[in-house]
Short mmCIF file of all heavy atoms in Angstrom, two decimals:
data_model
loop_
_atom_site.label_atom_id
_atom_site.label_comp_id
_atom_site.label_asym_id
_atom_site.label_seq_id
_atom_site.Cartn_x
_atom_site.Cartn_y
_atom_site.Cartn_z
N SER A 1 17.20 0.41 7.50
CA SER A 1 17.34 -0.04 6.11
C SER A 1 15.98 -0.16 5.44
O SER A 1 14.94 -0.28 6.11
CB SER A 1 18.05 -1.39 6.06
OG SER A 1 17.19 -2.40 6.58
N GLY A 2 16.00 -0.15 4.13
CA GLY A 2 14.77 -0.33 3.37
C GLY A 2 14.11 -1.67 3.64
O GLY A 2 12.89 -1.78 3.67
N SER A 3 14.91 -2.70 3.88
CA SER A 3 14.34 -4.02 4.13
C SER A 3 13.59 -4.07 5.46
O SER A 3 12.68 -4.87 5.63
CB SER A 3 15.42 -5.10 4.08
OG SER A 3 16.38 -4.88 5.10
N VAL A 4 13.97 -3.20 6.39
CA VAL A 4 13.27 -3.13 7.68
C VAL A 4 11.97 -2.32 7.52
O VAL A 4 10.92 -2.69 8.03
CB VAL A 4 14.17 -2.50 8.77
CG1 VAL A 4 13.38 -2.19 10.03
CG2 VAL A 4 15.33 -3.43 9.08
N ALA A 5 12.03 -1.21 6.79
CA ALA A 5 10.87 -0.33 6.63
C ALA A 5 9.84 -0.86 5.64
O ALA A 5 8.64 -0.62 5.80
CB ALA A 5 11.34 1.06 6.20
N GLU A 6 10.30 -1.57 4.63
CA GLU A 6 9.42 -1.97 3.52
C GLU A 6 8.14 -2.70 3.94
O GLU A 6 7.05 -2.33 3.49
CB GLU A 6 10.20 -2.81 2.51
CG GLU A 6 9.36 -3.18 1.30
CD GLU A 6 10.18 -3.97 0.29
OE1 GLU A 6 11.09 -4.72 0.69
OE2 GLU A 6 9.87 -3.83 -0.91
N PRO A 7 8.20 -3.74 4.77
CA PRO A 7 6.95 -4.44 5.11
C PRO A 7 5.92 -3.54 5.79
O PRO A 7 4.73 -3.61 5.48
CB PRO A 7 7.40 -5.56 6.05
CG PRO A 7 8.85 -5.75 5.75
CD PRO A 7 9.36 -4.40 5.36
N ALA A 8 6.37 -2.68 6.69
CA ALA A 8 5.44 -1.80 7.40
C ALA A 8 4.83 -0.77 6.46
O ALA A 8 3.63 -0.49 6.51
CB ALA A 8 6.15 -1.10 8.56
N VAL A 9 5.65 -0.19 5.58
CA VAL A 9 5.14 0.79 4.61
C VAL A 9 4.14 0.13 3.68
O VAL A 9 3.06 0.68 3.41
CB VAL A 9 6.30 1.44 3.83
CG1 VAL A 9 5.78 2.30 2.69
CG2 VAL A 9 7.19 2.26 4.76
N LYS A 10 4.45 -1.05 3.19
CA LYS A 10 3.54 -1.74 2.28
C LYS A 10 2.25 -2.14 2.97
O LYS A 10 1.18 -2.05 2.37
CB LYS A 10 4.23 -2.95 1.64
CG LYS A 10 5.25 -2.53 0.59
CD LYS A 10 5.85 -3.73 -0.11
CE LYS A 10 6.77 -3.31 -1.23
NZ LYS A 10 7.33 -4.47 -1.94
N ARG A 11 2.33 -2.58 4.22
CA ARG A 11 1.10 -2.91 4.96
C ARG A 11 0.23 -1.67 5.10
O ARG A 11 -1.00 -1.73 4.94
CB ARG A 11 1.42 -3.48 6.35
CG ARG A 11 1.71 -4.94 6.38
CD ARG A 11 1.70 -5.51 7.79
NE ARG A 11 2.62 -4.83 8.70
CZ ARG A 11 3.91 -5.11 8.83
NH1 ARG A 11 4.44 -6.06 8.09
NH2 ARG A 11 4.67 -4.45 9.68
N PHE A 12 0.85 -0.54 5.40
CA PHE A 12 0.10 0.71 5.56
C PHE A 12 -0.54 1.14 4.24
O PHE A 12 -1.72 1.53 4.21
CB PHE A 12 1.01 1.80 6.11
CG PHE A 12 0.29 3.08 6.39
CD1 PHE A 12 -0.64 3.16 7.43
CD2 PHE A 12 0.52 4.21 5.62
CE1 PHE A 12 -1.31 4.35 7.68
CE2 PHE A 12 -0.15 5.39 5.87
CZ PHE A 12 -1.07 5.46 6.90
N LEU A 13 0.20 1.06 3.15
CA LEU A 13 -0.37 1.40 1.84
C LEU A 13 -1.52 0.48 1.47
O LEU A 13 -2.53 0.92 0.90
CB LEU A 13 0.72 1.36 0.76
CG LEU A 13 1.79 2.44 0.87
CD1 LEU A 13 2.91 2.17 -0.13
CD2 LEU A 13 1.20 3.83 0.67
N THR A 14 -1.39 -0.78 1.83
CA THR A 14 -2.48 -1.74 1.59
C THR A 14 -3.72 -1.34 2.38
O THR A 14 -4.84 -1.40 1.86
CB THR A 14 -2.03 -3.17 1.97
OG1 THR A 14 -0.91 -3.53 1.17
CG2 THR A 14 -3.15 -4.17 1.78
N GLU A 15 -3.51 -0.93 3.62
CA GLU A 15 -4.64 -0.50 4.45
C GLU A 15 -5.30 0.76 3.88
O GLU A 15 -6.53 0.87 3.84
CB GLU A 15 -4.17 -0.26 5.88
CG GLU A 15 -5.30 -0.07 6.85
CD GLU A 15 -4.83 -0.01 8.30
OE1 GLU A 15 -3.61 0.02 8.56
OE2 GLU A 15 -5.71 0.02 9.18
N LEU A 16 -4.50 1.71 3.40
CA LEU A 16 -5.06 2.92 2.77
C LEU A 16 -5.90 2.55 1.54
O LEU A 16 -6.97 3.10 1.32
CB LEU A 16 -3.94 3.89 2.37
CG LEU A 16 -3.18 4.58 3.49
CD1 LEU A 16 -2.03 5.41 2.90
CD2 LEU A 16 -4.10 5.45 4.33
N ALA A 17 -5.40 1.61 0.74
CA ALA A 17 -6.14 1.17 -0.45
C ALA A 17 -7.43 0.45 -0.06
O ALA A 17 -8.48 0.64 -0.67
CB ALA A 17 -5.26 0.25 -1.30
N ARG A 18 -7.36 -0.39 0.97
CA ARG A 18 -8.55 -1.12 1.43
C ARG A 18 -9.64 -0.15 1.88
O ARG A 18 -10.82 -0.40 1.69
CB ARG A 18 -8.16 -2.06 2.57
CG ARG A 18 -9.25 -3.04 2.94
CD ARG A 18 -8.82 -4.03 4.03
NE ARG A 18 -7.53 -4.62 3.76
CZ ARG A 18 -6.45 -4.48 4.57
NH1 ARG A 18 -6.52 -3.78 5.67
NH2 ARG A 18 -5.31 -5.05 4.25
N GLU A 19 -9.24 0.97 2.48
CA GLU A 19 -10.20 1.98 2.94
C GLU A 19 -10.59 2.96 1.82
O GLU A 19 -11.29 3.93 2.06
CB GLU A 19 -9.62 2.75 4.13
CG GLU A 19 -9.45 1.92 5.38
CD GLU A 19 -10.76 1.44 5.97
OE1 GLU A 19 -11.77 2.17 5.89
OE2 GLU A 19 -10.78 0.32 6.52
N GLU A 20 -10.08 2.69 0.61
CA GLU A 20 -10.37 3.50 -0.58
C GLU A 20 -9.90 4.95 -0.43
O GLU A 20 -10.53 5.88 -0.92
CB GLU A 20 -11.86 3.44 -0.94
CG GLU A 20 -12.33 2.04 -1.24
CD GLU A 20 -13.82 1.95 -1.49
OE1 GLU A 20 -14.53 2.96 -1.38
OE2 GLU A 20 -14.26 0.84 -1.81
N LEU A 21 -8.75 5.12 0.22
CA LEU A 21 -8.16 6.44 0.38
C LEU A 21 -7.09 6.71 -0.67
O LEU A 21 -6.75 7.86 -0.93
CB LEU A 21 -7.57 6.61 1.78
CG LEU A 21 -8.57 6.43 2.92
CD1 LEU A 21 -7.88 6.56 4.26
CD2 LEU A 21 -9.71 7.42 2.80
N ILE A 22 -6.54 5.64 -1.27
CA ILE A 22 -5.61 5.76 -2.37
C ILE A 22 -5.94 4.69 -3.41
O ILE A 22 -6.58 3.69 -3.09
CB ILE A 22 -4.13 5.61 -1.92
CG1 ILE A 22 -3.88 4.22 -1.31
CG2 ILE A 22 -3.74 6.72 -0.96
CD1 ILE A 22 -2.41 3.94 -1.01
N VAL A 23 -5.52 4.94 -4.63
CA VAL A 23 -5.67 3.97 -5.72
C VAL A 23 -4.37 3.95 -6.52
O VAL A 23 -3.60 4.90 -6.49
CB VAL A 23 -6.85 4.30 -6.66
CG1 VAL A 23 -8.17 4.21 -5.93
CG2 VAL A 23 -6.67 5.67 -7.29
N THR A 24 -4.15 2.87 -7.24
CA THR A 24 -2.97 2.78 -8.09
C THR A 24 -3.24 3.56 -9.38
O THR A 24 -4.38 3.72 -9.79
CB THR A 24 -2.64 1.32 -8.42
OG1 THR A 24 -3.77 0.71 -9.02
CG2 THR A 24 -2.25 0.56 -7.17
N VAL A 25 -2.16 4.02 -10.00
CA VAL A 25 -2.27 4.77 -11.24
C VAL A 25 -1.25 4.28 -12.25
O VAL A 25 -0.31 3.58 -11.91
CB VAL A 25 -2.05 6.29 -11.01
CG1 VAL A 25 -3.17 6.88 -10.17
CG2 VAL A 25 -0.72 6.57 -10.39
N ASN A 26 -1.48 4.67 -13.49
CA ASN A 26 -0.53 4.38 -14.58
C ASN A 26 -0.20 2.90 -14.73
O ASN A 26 0.95 2.54 -14.97
CB ASN A 26 0.76 5.19 -14.39
CG ASN A 26 0.50 6.67 -14.42
OD1 ASN A 26 -0.43 7.13 -15.08
ND2 ASN A 26 1.30 7.42 -13.70
N GLY A 27 -1.18 2.04 -14.55
CA GLY A 27 -0.98 0.62 -14.79
C GLY A 27 -0.14 -0.10 -13.76
O GLY A 27 0.30 -1.21 -14.00
N SER A 28 0.12 0.50 -12.61
CA SER A 28 0.90 -0.19 -11.60
C SER A 28 0.07 -1.31 -10.99
O SER A 28 -1.14 -1.33 -11.08
CB SER A 28 1.38 0.79 -10.51
OG SER A 28 0.30 1.46 -9.94
N LYS A 29 0.77 -2.27 -10.37
CA LYS A 29 0.06 -3.41 -9.81
C LYS A 29 -0.79 -2.97 -8.62
O LYS A 29 -0.47 -1.99 -7.94
CB LYS A 29 1.02 -4.52 -9.42
CG LYS A 29 2.01 -4.16 -8.36
CD LYS A 29 2.96 -5.33 -8.14
CE LYS A 29 4.09 -4.90 -7.22
NZ LYS A 29 5.06 -5.95 -7.04
N PRO A 30 -1.89 -3.67 -8.36
CA PRO A 30 -2.76 -3.31 -7.24
C PRO A 30 -2.00 -3.31 -5.93
O PRO A 30 -1.16 -4.18 -5.68
CB PRO A 30 -3.83 -4.41 -7.24
CG PRO A 30 -3.78 -4.99 -8.62
CD PRO A 30 -2.37 -4.83 -9.10
N ILE A 31 -2.29 -2.34 -5.09
CA ILE A 31 -1.59 -2.21 -3.81
C ILE A 31 -1.85 -3.42 -2.92
O ILE A 31 -0.98 -3.84 -2.18
CB ILE A 31 -1.98 -0.90 -3.12
CG1 ILE A 31 -1.38 0.25 -3.90
CG2 ILE A 31 -1.52 -0.86 -1.68
CD1 ILE A 31 -1.69 1.62 -3.40
N GLU A 32 -3.05 -4.01 -3.02
CA GLU A 32 -3.36 -5.16 -2.17
C GLU A 32 -2.36 -6.28 -2.37
O GLU A 32 -2.16 -7.10 -1.50
CB GLU A 32 -4.78 -5.68 -2.45
CG GLU A 32 -5.87 -4.75 -1.98
CD GLU A 32 -6.16 -3.62 -2.96
OE1 GLU A 32 -5.60 -3.60 -4.07
OE2 GLU A 32 -6.93 -2.73 -2.60
#
């Protein structure tokens, strides 16, 4: 389910942002 996958996906996206490999676009909230 999405509720099972969501925390892990969000943690990974946060880590990518922390390493400056991705950034948010179009006024979306910061990944951190």
